[in-house]
Amino acid sequence: MNFEEHAGKALLRQAGIKTPAGMLASTQEQAEKIAADIGPCVIKAQVPTGKRGKAGGIQLAASPQQASQQAGKILDMEIGGYKVETVLIEQQGRIQQEYYAALMNDSNSKCPMIMFSAAGGMDIEEIAETHPEQLRKTHININKGFDESTALELIEGLDFEADSKKLAAVLSQLYQLYLSNDAELVEINPLVLLEDGGVIALDCKFVLDDSSISRQQQIAQQGTPDKLTWLESQAKDHDLKLVELDGDIGVIANGAGLTMTTMDVITYYGGNPANFLEIGGEAYTKATEALKLLLGKPGLKSLVINFCGAFARTDVMTDGIINAWEELKPDLPVFFSIHGTGATEAKVMLQKRLNMHSYPTMDEAVQAAIAVKSRG
Amino acid sequence: MIVRNTDRVIIQGITGKQGTFWTQKMQDYGTQIVAGVNPKKPGITHCEVPVFASAKDTMAEVPFDVSVLFIPPLACKAAALDAIEAGCKKVAILTEHIPVHDVMYIMAAAKANDAQILGPNTAGQVTPGECFIGFMPAFEASIFKPGHIGVISRSGSLGTLICLNVVQAGYGESAFIGIGGDPVIGTTTLDALKALDTDEKTKAIVLVGEIGGSMEEQAAEYAQNMTKPIVSFIAGRSSPPGKKMGHAGAIVMGNKGTYESKRKALEAAGVNVLDSPSDVGTALKSMLNQC
């Protein structure tokens, strides 16, 4: 789950990391008032996505009038598919140097990984390319942790003007924040040295591990739920995983791997999948709901149902599909491929109740679905 | 890890609905289950084996080699640490949606104690004709048959389809290793590939990958120097970037974890990468005929 900058910064402050003085505004009037209080300021679009600066979503303002003007422009924008509804207005500071700091779950080492660069203010790929000698990273033994002394070892010898103890303190606080909030990623870019010697976070990206939401409900309320289409949120209410796509061939399959593969095979033979819809695991009895959902998607020309039973039985899934089919009697060509546990029973059921059959391979079912002429 | 019927296996969470159902299936198939764990029900007998309060208590009374966890997500860390600290060297975790930080604690303990972890979020491991752990339909003759093809898969459902194609083509499997769909897992594609490379029964390998992460690329580096032929299918070619496709680990971020990168690395290592899983049988036939 992604967090907007202001929500991430609230977590930084709780951990003891300083951020500029600032407030949220959702109207030009509010922006003007805040700017009158804090002086020259930065106005930043609050959307849970990157590249805000490049999109024009971050602007400077020297006066309250200018703040109102800029806020008006930004509040009109859409960035990365998100309509900007609030801006964060922060005091401008006198910056001496910019750094980069991040902590993340690292799949390769199976450990937390911390990164620090004495060059910051650009994205990490660019830092790695242009200033590799200023970038340090290390894997953390989660049982030993990461404190100020290990932080000092990490940054030793890098080219920075900040007090090394202050930087080490920030890195150690960042690790505590990462650990206690079940972060997948927390990134400060840039972390800056001010002319008065202070070290503060000018930006913050925080991503909460989705598997930890159940035990981090309080902070999860500050996060931004994934932007879902109407159909996707209906599916979520039924505990089904659905991703809507642009194509015209509907897909229902069991298990993430098989569902992705069905989409791949449709694409390989020149068709366009309309969705990802999985009824794996505990959800495999929900075939009825799954089919009803998908039939609500406009523009489908055909449907591929691909089941391969393992733990989940295909006769149970097929029974669910047939129930929905008998109830709704949809006017949609459907092509089945059924294999594995319960397949014999499922095929008999399909023949008896719908007078339909299952294709010998998913490739044949997919090719038949592609061959259907699109409507209108 | 490849489990054998000589391995002594315990089930943590044996008394639950899934635990009970699959324990019986494993026993019927030939898995040597010697005990179960439920902290609240020590002293009872369930599925004809004694139940203890912890893996440590079990080890003192009934020594074992492998533990299989049928445990809810938030309780997995404690259960896995219990097994590892008891001295168990092979732990299989089937649960999906375990907090990733908990998984990292489990991995750190496994490393310190020289234990192997299968999963989390794995469907399990099958050694056809001998035994299985997890919830794979080892008992379905159309899917699993003793043979010489080793199968590695991040996905249970797709792995099952591949095995079905292997058997339909007239072959059987030496082992199926489900490694799991999570972003942080114990046994990686590379670990599984090494296990099959050194396994005497395995003559050829089917490597089933997915978008996300870089495990297939790492396996490809090792595959360069292997003599056993490898066929591969990578799922997620048509998935849009930035979206999680069911599995938490199956996501393309920027230019990381893409289908193209995996296919390129595997093909450079001489692996035959297929466009459809239905081609597995034909590909195996042509490769094994060349040998």
Side-chain angles (χ1 to χ4, degrees):
Chain A
M1 178 183 256
N2 292 320
F3 281 50
E4 288 174 358
E5 176 192 1
H6 66 92
K9 279 181 168 167
L11 295 173
L12 291 183
R13 287 191 295 274
Q14 275 169 27
I17 298 169
K18 292 194 179 78
T19 64
M23 283 182 85
L24 287 172
S26 51
T27 64
Q28 282 182 271
E29 294 71 35
Q30 287 171 355
E32 187 172 343
K33 196 159 169 279
I34 296 166
D37 283 345
I38 64 175
C41 57
V42 188
I43 299 164
K44 307 175 86 177
Q46 296 300 290
V47 280
T49 175
K51 315 261 183 263
R52 289 175 300 162
K54 279 175 193 149
I58 300 175
Q59 301 292 342
L60 296 174
S63 67
Q65 292 73 23
Q66 214 181 352
S68 162
Q69 239 174 34
Q70 297 288 19
K73 267 191 227 159
I74 296 172
L75 284 166
D76 256 354
M77 287 180 175
E78 193 182 287
I79 302 176
Y82 292 89
K83 169 103 188 58
V84 181
E85 281 166 3
T86 50
V87 288
L88 177 63
I89 300 179
E90 285 187 338
Q91 206 165 42
Q92 288 182 26
R94 293 177 164 281
I95 298 166
Q96 189 170 335
Q97 258 191 335
E98 294 186 315
Y99 313 121
Y100 172 96
L103 258 150
M104 65 197 74
N105 298 341
D106 181 48
S107 297
N108 288 335
S109 65
K110 303 166 196 181
C111 296
M113 181 167 80
I114 188 162
M115 299 172 81
F116 176 81
S117 163
M122 52 200 131
D123 61 34
I124 182 64
E125 287 81 8
E126 200 180 337
I127 294 172
E129 204 162 287
T130 57
H131 298 81
E133 76 293 344
Q134 293 301 326
L135 178 64
R136 294 267 171 87
K137 55 183 168 184
T138 190
H139 301 124
I140 297 170
N141 180 332
I142 198 164
N143 283 316
K144 288 192 180 148
F146 183 86
D147 58 16
E148 288 181 33
S149 69
T150 37
L152 280 172
E153 285 169 31
L154 176 73
I155 61 177
E156 200 196 335
L158 292 177
D159 196 9
F160 56 82
E161 288 160 27
D163 176 39
S164 58
K165 278 191 180 153
K166 269 189 191 166
L167 273 184
V170 168
L171 294 178
S172 146
Q173 285 161 333
L174 193 64
Y175 181 69
Q176 289 309 320
L177 179 164
Y178 159 87
L179 207 59
S180 56
N181 294 300
D182 273 305
E184 180 177 303
L185 166 75
V186 52
E187 182 185 76
I188 304 177
N189 190 23
L191 178 72
V192 301
L193 168 66
L194 296 176
E195 284 177 1
D196 67 6
V199 175
I200 70 170
L202 281 204
D203 198 358
C204 179
K205 183 175 179 185
F206 179 87
V207 183
L208 175 63
D209 169 25
D210 286 337
S211 294
S212 299
I213 289 175
S214 63
R215 69 176 181 197
Q216 295 286 2
Q217 291 188 7
Q218 210 178 339
I219 70 154
Q221 285 171 6
Q222 309 305 314
T224 311
D226 280 342
K227 212 175 134 198
L228 299 177
T229 64
W230 183 83
L231 209 57
E232 287 169 348
S233 64
Q234 292 288 308
K236 202 181 172 198
D237 291 345
H238 285 97
D239 255 334
L240 290 166
K241 290 171 193 161
L242 187 148
V243 179
E244 249 189 298
L245 305 166
D246 295 334
D248 53 6
I249 301 173
V251 175
I252 298 177
N254 67 294
L258 189 64
T259 313
M260 275 195 276
T261 301
T262 312
M263 290 164 45
D264 294 346
V265 173
I266 291 175
T267 309
Y268 174 67
Y269 287 111
N272 290 308
N275 67 286
F276 172 100
L277 175 53
E278 181 212 340
I279 55 164
E282 297 289 324
Y284 82 99
T285 53
K286 295 183 182 170
T288 309
E289 286 88 343
L291 179 61
K292 285 183 178 173
L293 272 169
L294 207 54
L295 291 173
K297 184 171 166 67
L300 289 191
K301 71 166 188 177
S302 57
L303 175 61
V304 175
I305 295 181
N306 190 9
F307 293 151
C308 189
F311 155 68
R313 295 188 59 90
T314 54
D315 49 348
V316 176
M317 299 184 251
T318 305
D319 182 48
I321 293 287
I322 295 175
N323 289 341
W325 206 270
E326 285 173 340
E327 185 189 325
L328 302 170
K329 299 186 174 60
D331 174 27
L332 184 71
V334 57
F335 304 90
F336 288 87
S337 166
I338 303 174
H339 296 95
T341 325
T344 313
E345 296 89 331
K347 286 175 191 170
V348 170
M349 218 187 293
L350 200 58
Q351 176 69 46
K352 269 193 183 161
R353 291 169 60 187
L354 295 183
N355 196 23
M356 291 185 191
H357 71 284
S358 162
Y359 283 79
T361 66
M362 86 157 108
D363 300 54
E364 286 158 273
V366 160
Q367 283 172 299
I370 294 171
V372 172
K373 285 215 165 56
S374 63
R375 307 164 168 204
Chain B
M1 68 164 108
I2 297 172
V3 178
R4 301 291 175 193
N5 56 10
T6 48
D7 283 320
R8 295 163 61 87
V9 178
I10 69 161
I11 310 295
Q12 291 178 260
I14 193 169
T15 56
K17 193 176 147 213
Q18 295 296 344
T20 304
F21 180 81
W22 287 99
T23 298
Q24 285 164 352
K25 293 283 185 200
M26 287 185 252
Q27 286 171 323
D28 291 347
Y29 194 72
T31 310
Q32 198 190 145
I33 306 218
V34 295
V37 172
N38 179 332
K40 288 180 191 144
K41 294 180 182 167
I44 67 163
T45 297
H46 188 82
C47 296
E48 296 167 24
V49 294
V51 174
F52 296 91
S54 67
K56 290 188 196 82
D57 287 0
T58 312
M59 193 60 100
E61 300 284 329
V62 184
F64 61 92
D65 308 296
V66 178
S67 180
V68 183
L69 270 60
F70 283 88
I71 299 283
L74 295 183
C76 275
K77 177 185 166 191
L81 294 182
D82 177 27
I84 294 165
E85 286 161 11
C88 179
K89 299 300 180 199
K90 293 174 180 174
V91 182
I93 307 174
L94 311 174
T95 316
E96 187 176 6
H97 303 307
I98 305 176
V100 177
H101 287 198
D102 284 5
V103 176
M104 294 193 299
Y105 277 105
I106 296 170
M107 295 309 161
K111 195 175 174 191
N113 291 281
D114 205 19
Q116 297 175 57
I117 308 288
L118 187 67
N121 193 10
T122 168
Q125 200 253 297
V126 184
T127 312
E130 276 194 53
C131 61
F132 82 98
I133 52 172
F135 40 64
M136 287 299 286
F139 38 83
E140 288 280 338
S142 63
I143 302 171
F144 289 104
K145 195 175 101 178
H148 303 288
I149 312 296
V151 179
I152 303 166
S153 179
R154 275 162 84 171
S155 154
S157 57
L158 179 56
T160 307
L161 182 72
I162 296 283
C163 287
L164 190 98
N165 284 322
V166 167
V167 171
Q168 260 175 10
Y171 299 102
E173 301 92 351
S174 50
F176 169 87
I177 307 179
I179 60 171
D182 269 13
V184 176
I185 54 173
T187 301
T188 61
T189 311
L190 174 60
D191 296 331
L193 190 61
K194 284 180 180 169
L196 292 174
D197 192 23
T198 52
D199 174 54
E200 281 178 14
K201 271 206 276 177
T202 304
K203 294 209 171 84
I205 292 157
V206 186
L207 192 166
V208 187
E210 255 175 35
I211 51 165
S214 55
M215 287 199 301
E216 289 79 6
E217 286 86 336
Q218 288 159 10
E221 246 184 84
Y222 178 84
Q224 278 177 346
N225 301 314
M226 278 175 64
T227 48
K228 292 181 184 178
I230 306 172
V231 175
S232 177
F233 177 77
I234 308 292
R237 185 181 202 171
S238 60
S239 298
K243 292 249 184 195
K244 266 181 202 165
M245 303 307 278
H247 282 160
I251 181 167
V252 173
M253 298 298 283
N255 55 2
K256 299 264 170 65
T258 63
Y259 177 85
E260 290 72 23
S261 147
K262 291 172 193 302
R263 180 164 190 152
K264 205 173 137 195
L266 287 165
E267 284 182 338
V271 173
N272 181 4
V273 182
L274 306 175
D275 291 313
S276 164
S278 310
D279 300 337
V280 162
T282 326
L284 283 173
K285 276 179 195 161
S286 73
M287 292 183 109
L288 287 168
N289 282 341
Q290 286 167 15
C291 293

